[in-house]
Amino acid sequence: DTEVTQTPKHLVMGMTNKKSLKCEQHMGHRAMYWYKQKAKKPPELMFVYSYEKLSINESVPSRFSPECPNSSLLNLHLHALQPEDSALYLCASSPPVGRRGNEQFFGPGTRLTVL
Amino acid sequence: AQSVAQPEDQVNVAEGNPLTVKCTYSVSGNPYLFWYVQYPNRGLQFLLKYITGDNLVKGSYGFEAEFNKSQTSFHLKKPSALVSDSALYFCAGHPSTGGFKTIFGAGTRLFVKA
């Protein structure tokens, strides 16, 4: 299985809602990433987990809360978002930390709209 | 500061003609370099990478890229473009010194006309 899956594909939420994005991979990758991508722009790194521990937080607002329950799953909990948070949220994974120069495998993304 | 530059917002080419999408980098050490492609409303797909060794790297779907250290470039090429190659292409770099952060270029939209 060489796939990263993300659910849901689309999400519309109000500014007071709480929702979660889910990501799953079964490639044995031990690094997992959340990116935010605006239209026609490159992905912006938000968080990196390495061996289920948070390794990088790119100064992301606390209304975004990541969670890595196990080596295959990555969640992004959303609360009190703003309209400017509307974007495509991409999950990615890559092989174990000790092997450098490895490409990332991206999921199809969740298209988030905040009203 | 480390960076990856894609000087062209859009590249237009006729089907059957060769295509080139340009990328230059400023990444410390001996960088690892990548090309990704993104189709509308999809995630990024890996095309090819340069780690070390032969400067000409071959990848998926007939794409190749040439690493040029003196010009700090890593241009993506294909001998004969297809309409289905039309997409958004990202060049990316990663320092060989480690870490998780990949530096993405701004992206180049490739439009192949039938």
Side-chain angles (χ1 to χ4, degrees), chain A residues 31 33 35 37 40-43 45 48 50 55-56 58 88 90 97 100-104 106-109 111, chain B residues 32 34 36 38 41-46 49 51 88 90 94 96-102 104-107 109:
Chain A
Y33 310 73
Y35 287 91
Q37 187 182 27
K40 301 181 183 179
K41 297 291 186 183
L45 184 64
V48 180
S50 173
S55 181
I56 294 179
E58 288 286 287
L88 182 68
L90 294 167
V97 172
R100 303 298 179 191
N102 283 299
E103 62 274 21
Q104 294 178 35
F106 284 82
R111 174 74 60 191
Chain B
Y32 303 136
F34 306 83
Y36 291 89
Q38 187 175 30
N41 297 311
R42 302 294 301 274
L44 279 67
Q45 286 179 239
F46 167 75
K49 65 182 176 183
I51 303 300
L88 183 58
F90 291 103
H94 190 285
S96 59
T97 48
F100 289 105
K101 196 166 182 181
T102 296
F104 285 91
R109 183 162 299 280

Side-chain angles (χ1 to χ4, degrees), chain A:
Chain A
D1 186 354
T2 58
E3 207 179 28
V4 176
T5 59
Q6 289 187 245
T7 55
K9 289 186 178 179
H10 302 275
L11 178 62
V12 179
M13 60 186 291
M15 289 190 283
T16 59
N17 292 157
K18 286 185 180 181
K19 297 286 184 182
S20 296
L21 308 185
K22 296 184 185 301
C23 173
E24 190 167 5
Q25 58 89 13
H26 295 287
M27 294 178 279
H29 292 171
R30 301 310 295 269
M32 296 186 76
Y33 310 73
W34 279 117
Y35 287 91
K36 173 184 178 180
Q37 187 182 27
K38 291 283 197 178
K40 301 181 183 179
K41 297 291 186 183
E44 301 170 33
L45 184 64
M46 300 175 71
F47 303 103
V48 180
Y49 274 83
S50 173
Y51 290 91
E52 295 90 72
K53 288 186 172 24
L54 185 63
S55 181
I56 294 179
N57 177 341
E58 288 286 287
S59 302
V60 179
S62 60
R63 57 185 184 269
F64 294 92
S65 175
E67 178 195 20
C68 191
N70 60 54
S71 60
S72 300
L73 292 173
L74 186 66
N75 298 322
L76 186 63
H77 303 297
L78 315 173
H79 173 54
L81 294 193
Q82 304 296 310
E84 59 264 28
D85 296 323
S86 299
L88 182 68
Y89 287 83
L90 294 167
C91 174
S93 68
S94 65
V97 172
R99 291 167 52 189
R100 303 298 179 191
N102 283 299
E103 62 274 21
Q104 294 178 35
F105 292 72
F106 284 82
T110 293
R111 174 74 60 191
L112 173 67
T113 303
V114 182
L115 302 177

